Amino acid sequence: MRSPRRCSRNGCPRQAVATLTYVYNESTAVVGPLAAFAEPHTYDLCEQHARSLTAPRGWDVVRHEGEFEPPPPTTDDLVALAEAVREAARPVAPRPPQDDHDPHHPHPHPQTPPTGRRGHLRVIPPNH
């Protein structure tokens, strides 16, 4: 699954549960539930920062009155996770040993296990 979005405030490690959007032509800061996707001109906030946000002098703050909750995992996240697990469970065919005297491969490289990629997930095999 995709890693949870983090609060945009510097140094804050908490998970984002709200989105801050500035409406410049109305001098308003809007704090609402976490948007489905991170947008370039919005800011993700944790609950503490969403509730304590203040706006510049002369600006209004419109704040969501309900609970701020992290979004549930999407179907895409669950499908990507299932595919990554299937990929990791597939047996890897052993590579034939390289001949140290092969003129086409004068500098043999140590055998490195393959990595797989599914969407935004990457399967990394365990170290042997």
Side-chain angles (χ1 to χ4, degrees):
M1 287 189 322
R2 110 179 45 134
S3 60
R5 288 166 28 200
R6 298 284 172 208
C7 183
S8 297
R9 296 289 299 260
N10 285 339
C12 183
R14 290 185 290 270
Q15 182 176 0
V17 295
T19 297
L20 166 63
T21 305
Y22 289 108
V23 183
Y24 292 99
N25 61 346
E26 295 181 20
S27 300
T28 303
V30 179
V31 180
L34 188 64
F37 300 99
E39 296 290 334
H41 300 290
T42 63
Y43 303 90
D44 293 341
L45 299 175
C46 65
E47 185 167 6
Q48 178 183 353
H49 287 122
R51 298 224 182 268
S52 65
L53 178 90
T54 59
R57 183 174 296 147
W59 281 57
D60 294 318
V61 176
V62 175
R63 195 179 325 265
H64 173 70
E65 293 297 323
E67 293 296 316
F68 290 114
E69 296 178 10
T74 66
T75 303
D76 291 345
D77 291 337
L78 297 175
V79 169
L81 179 60
E83 288 176 359
V85 169
R86 276 190 227 108
E87 180 75 22
R90 284 188 192 139
V92 177
R95 291 183 181 172
Q98 292 183 351
D99 182 6
D100 289 344
H101 303 291
D102 184 350
H104 300 290
H105 300 287
H107 304 291
H109 298 285
Q111 192 171 4
T112 53
T115 59
R117 186 150 179 88
R118 290 283 185 240
H120 54 278
L121 298 175
R122 190 169 55 141
V123 178
I124 302 174
N127 292 334
H128 297 288

